[in-house]
Amino acid sequence: MATFTSLAYLVSAVLFILALRGLSHPETARRGLTYGMIGMALAVVVTTLFSPHITGWTWIVVGIAIGGAIGTHIAKTIEMTSLPQLMAAFHSLVGLAAVCVAGAAFYNPEAYGIGTYGDIKTASLIEMSLGLAIGAVTFTGSIIAWGKLDGRISGKPVVFPGQHKLNAILGIVLLLMIVLLCATGNAFWFWMIAIIALALGVLMIIPIGGADMPVIVSMLNSYSGWAAAGIGFTLHNNLLIITGALVGASGAILSYIMCKGMNRSFISVILGGFGGEEAGGAAADMGDRNAKIGAAEDAAYIMKNASKVIIVPGYGMAVAQAQHALREMADLLKKEGVDVKYAIHPVAGRMPGHMNVLLAEANVPYDEVFEMEDINRDFAQADVAYVIGANDITNPAAKNDSTSPIYGMPVLDVEKAKTVLFVKRSLGSGYAGIDNPLFFEQNTMMLLGDAKKMTEDIIKSME
């Protein structure tokens, strides 16, 4: 039976690896999800039916039924714009699960074969305390991230004097508590680790603003994986170790990619984000410059007479749920013989791949969607750049204003297009809290209003 379990776990691990491989591209994402679901179902069934430590299935069946019902309801009702906060909420549950399992193993070590209460193996205490600490940090950190993404907590960074020193001190104290737990096996140190880690999770995320949220989502994903891996060692469950390591490593790599896309070091993001949700001034903050305000009819005429249009989606498109209208507009342009492409910035939206997910939902052809490094040079040959709900990822201040908070962050070169049509609710700032001088350039026409309604009005004018 042990041989069969090991073989089933190996198959599940391979399926999880194939799932990650499939999720690396929108065209294979559905297949990747299927692999992941099959792998997880196999892992749950094998663990439940063939684990020698399980003597009854009543509570397991009840738990699966309740969790499955909740998951099904969420899957059917969740809006695409709410996916970022949903992912943060899921990460918090993984962290909480790690804390709960660590507590169960600490108070009932005989069930896990790691010793007796008060006399747990030192190696198991190390594994358990690491899983506990990382899980607790993930739990509270993810709750704060969820609150910021959902608008329940201000997206403005919360900073105070000595914040970094306090985090450093708590980190050192946390390591000391782990050493004391491993040396004494005392429950007091176990709960001190949990309390300090819970506080550290809050303090690490509150200084991070909305502009850095894509990195935070991927970072917390990595934390949840390492928490699961740590608990996997405690439970002597090889599949949990492998799965946690896969999630932790892939999350860390994704965080690195996000940081590279923003030209920021990972440490700088952890120590404190930039930006918030305060609206920057409009034209008044940019001196006496005035923006050129256009209408849907103007945009329709310009685009119908263009030969090449590049569409740049942003979080404003997600909020307005304008992706379907956007695809319909693109289809009309293609019927007129216009070459249409989509340009995606790696940190557009509020989680990695947010824009890709929305465009895929609207059945936008994958071969029309390009990453920033593949399409940035094309803006100079484009007749129109249609920017819908994006802001910071198109701000030229990142390239030419050394005093800007986003200076050095790679951005899309939309200003090089012959005409820039900028769809936005107002002339206010984006998540980074700074003005965009592109609004006031001669080749820019601002289309102020809801992204979906504006795009639909453009479609009506085209027809």
Side-chain angles (χ1 to χ4, degrees):
M1 193 59 68
T3 302
F4 173 76
T5 301
S6 299
L7 180 61
Y9 279 175
L10 178 61
V11 173
S12 293
V14 171
L15 287 170
F16 290 147
I17 294 172
L18 291 175
L20 285 176
R21 180 67 183 89
L23 291 171
S24 64
H25 192 278
E27 195 168 0
T28 58
R30 289 181 184 272
R31 189 190 316 152
L33 285 172
T34 301
Y35 288 144
M37 289 188 292
I38 295 174
M40 183 56 69
L42 178 61
V44 171
V45 169
V46 170
T47 301
T48 303
L49 295 181
F50 301 107
S51 174
H53 303 295
I54 296 177
T55 57
W57 296 280
T58 302
W59 288 111
I60 292 175
V61 172
V62 171
I64 291 175
I66 294 174
I70 294 173
T72 301
H73 174 72
I74 291 174
K76 288 184 175 181
T77 59
I78 191 70
E79 296 182 0
M80 297 296 286
T81 50
S82 299
L83 281 179
Q85 46 265 53
L86 176 66
M87 296 307 298
F90 280 171
H91 294 156
S92 74
L93 294 178
V94 175
L96 180 60
V99 173
C100 291
V101 173
F106 182 78
Y107 283 99
N108 189 18
E110 295 91 345
Y112 301 92
I114 58 176
T116 59
Y117 182 67
D119 188 26
I120 300 175
K121 298 175 183 177
T122 302
S124 296
L125 283 173
I126 294 173
E127 299 156 0
M128 182 192 306
S129 58
L130 289 175
L132 169 66
I134 300 173
V137 168
T138 304
F139 175 60
T140 51
S142 297
I143 289 178
I144 298 299
W146 168 80
K148 285 175 174 279
L149 290 167
D150 204 48
R152 297 172 187 268
I153 300 175
S154 173
K156 183 180 179 181
V158 178
V159 295
F160 54 85
Q163 190 169 31
H164 296 164
K165 290 182 180 179
L166 176 60
N167 289 349
I169 291 172
L170 287 178
I172 294 172
V173 172
L174 183 62
L175 292 176
L176 178 61
M177 297 299 102
I178 292 175
V179 172
L180 289 171
L181 174 64
C182 295
T184 66
N186 194 303
F188 174 78
W189 302 120
F190 179 91
W191 291 111
M192 285 301 298
I193 292 172
I195 292 171
I196 294 173
L198 290 170
L200 195 58
V202 174
L203 293 172
M204 286 176 61
I205 304 302
I206 57 172
I208 299 173
D212 285 337
M213 273 301 133
V215 179
I216 297 309
V217 171
S218 60
M219 181 192 75
L220 290 171
N221 176 60
S222 178
Y223 283 3
S224 67
W226 296 125
I231 294 300
F233 280 103
T234 301
L235 302 182
H236 302 298
N237 188 303
N238 292 332
L239 182 60
L240 189 55
I241 295 171
I242 294 171
T243 304
L246 283 173
V247 174
S250 60
I253 293 171
L254 185 56
S255 298
Y256 170 77
I257 294 172
M258 294 293 103
C259 287
K260 186 178 179 182
M262 301 171 71
N263 195 30
R264 293 169 64 77
S265 70
F266 186 70
I267 297 300
S268 71
V269 174
I270 296 299
L271 294 180
F274 64 86
E277 63 183 13
E278 287 185 326
D285 286 334
M286 298 296 293
D288 297 327
R289 303 175 68 180
N290 294 312
K292 187 189 302 180
I293 309 298
E297 294 79 9
D298 304 318
Y301 176 81
I302 293 172
M303 283 194 283
K304 284 188 71 172
N305 287 279
S307 60
K308 184 173 185 177
V309 173
I310 300 179
I311 298 171
V312 180
Y315 186 66
M317 180 196 76
V319 172
Q321 286 286 276
Q323 60 269 27
H324 296 282
L326 189 65
R327 195 218 63 199
E328 186 179 349
M329 183 189 78
D331 289 343
L332 286 176
L333 288 173
K334 286 187 284 186
K335 287 180 181 179
E336 297 288 334
V338 180
D339 178 21
V340 179
K341 294 181 179 178
Y342 297 80
I344 306 295
H345 191 281
V347 294
R350 304 187 80 169
M351 73 174 181
H354 199 178
M355 296 301 103
N356 301 79
V357 171
L358 292 173
L359 294 179
E361 184 204 19
N363 295 317
V364 171
Y366 299 124
D367 59 357
E368 295 178 5
V369 181
F370 295 86
E371 299 297 328
M372 180 176 66
E373 60 269 22
D374 297 324
I375 199 171
N376 233 6
R377 58 182 173 272
D378 291 1
F379 282 104
Q381 288 78 45
D383 296 294
V384 177
Y386 186 77
V387 183
I388 176 167
N391 194 332
D392 300 323
I393 61 171
T394 62
N395 195 330
K399 296 180 288 187
N400 52 39
D401 183 1
S402 60
T403 64
S404 173
I406 63 171
Y407 181 70
M409 176 178 130
V411 293
L412 292 163
D413 297 331
V414 297
E415 76 279 0
K416 294 181 179 180
K418 190 176 298 182
T419 301
V420 180
L421 299 176
F422 218 117
V423 183
K424 202 170 178 292
R425 286 184 178 274
S426 70
L427 294 174
S429 61
Y431 286 108
I434 58 175
D435 293 296
N436 191 339
L438 181 60
F439 296 168
F440 309 99
E441 294 296 333
Q442 289 297 315
N443 64 330
T444 299
M445 178 182 291
M446 298 301 298
L447 305 172
L448 301 182
D450 177 80
K452 181 178 181 181
K453 185 178 185 307
M454 179 61 69
T455 305
E456 289 174 342
D457 289 344
I458 291 173
I459 292 172
K460 292 176 182 177
S461 298
M462 286 181 178
E463 294 173 337

